[in-house]
Amino acid sequence: MASHIFRLRRAAEADFEPMLALSIRVMREHLERVGRFDPDRRRSRMRKQFDAGILRVIEAGGDTLGCVGIEPDGPDVEIHSLFLDSAHQGQGLGEAVFRAIQAAHPGRSFWIEVLKESPARRFWERLGFAVIDEKPFDWVMRRPAD
């Protein structure tokens, strides 16, 4: 894994439209493949995360690299909305972000829903997640605590 220096900061209202656009760029192809692309639904989901204060912006050197949602209040830490700009994919940044989240929540287990037909499933499996359930359009994956 390449060394990545970044920070996670709580998303502000000014981040809403850029993060919404990023999520659409990253997910559109995959959502269209399963017949689930709906810009209004995507906007609604992103708005819910912003209003709940759970979305973090991933930044480095003044640039926005992506975002991630972190909900630590349940029995497992829920991760969602890990969207990285295409210029930053495939370089180890996603793993570095997960490792930072993991370090901030020691001894905790994690879960995520992954869209079926998405290459993200392989990414999460490499990080120790396994499928524990299936929904009509998503895999539910969990990583036990260390």
Side-chain angles (χ1 to χ4, degrees):
M1 176 179 73
S3 174
H4 292 282
I5 298 172
F6 62 90
R7 75 179 189 124
L8 297 176
R9 70 162 170 81
R10 188 176 303 272
E13 187 58 36
D15 297 308
F16 181 78
E17 291 296 333
M19 292 302 97
L20 174 62
L22 172 65
S23 74
I24 289 172
R25 285 194 312 272
V26 170
M27 292 299 296
R28 183 176 191 144
E29 174 187 344
H30 308 296
L31 289 166
E32 285 177 340
R33 193 171 38 249
V34 296
R36 292 282 288 175
F37 179 68
D38 178 347
D40 293 333
R41 183 172 184 268
R42 177 91 295 272
R43 178 175 287 280
S44 174
R45 290 180 65 134
M46 185 66 74
R47 173 51 59 198
K48 181 179 175 185
Q49 295 163 15
F50 263 80
D51 291 348
I54 55 178
L55 199 72
R56 302 293 184 266
V57 176
I58 305 164
E59 298 178 318
D63 294 328
T64 297
L65 311 179
C67 63
V68 63
I70 308 164
E71 295 189 54
D73 296 334
D76 300 327
V77 176
E78 179 184 0
I79 299 173
H80 54 80
S81 306
L82 177 56
F83 303 125
L84 299 178
D85 188 85
S86 61
H88 302 287
Q89 293 178 11
Q91 301 172 24
L93 177 60
E95 179 177 352
V97 168
F98 172 69
R99 298 298 181 204
I101 295 167
Q102 189 180 30
H105 300 91
R108 299 286 304 276
S109 54
F110 299 86
W111 75 275
I112 188 165
E113 288 185 12
V114 177
L115 183 69
K116 290 181 179 178
E117 306 299 323
S118 167
R121 177 177 169 176
R122 291 186 305 277
F123 167 77
W124 292 108
E125 287 173 337
R126 284 193 306 273
L127 294 176
F129 285 73
V131 172
I132 61 166
D133 197 8
E134 179 179 355
K135 294 184 175 184
F137 296 98
D138 299 303
W139 299 111
V140 180
M141 301 182 76
R142 185 173 185 274
R143 185 185 194 287
D146 286 333

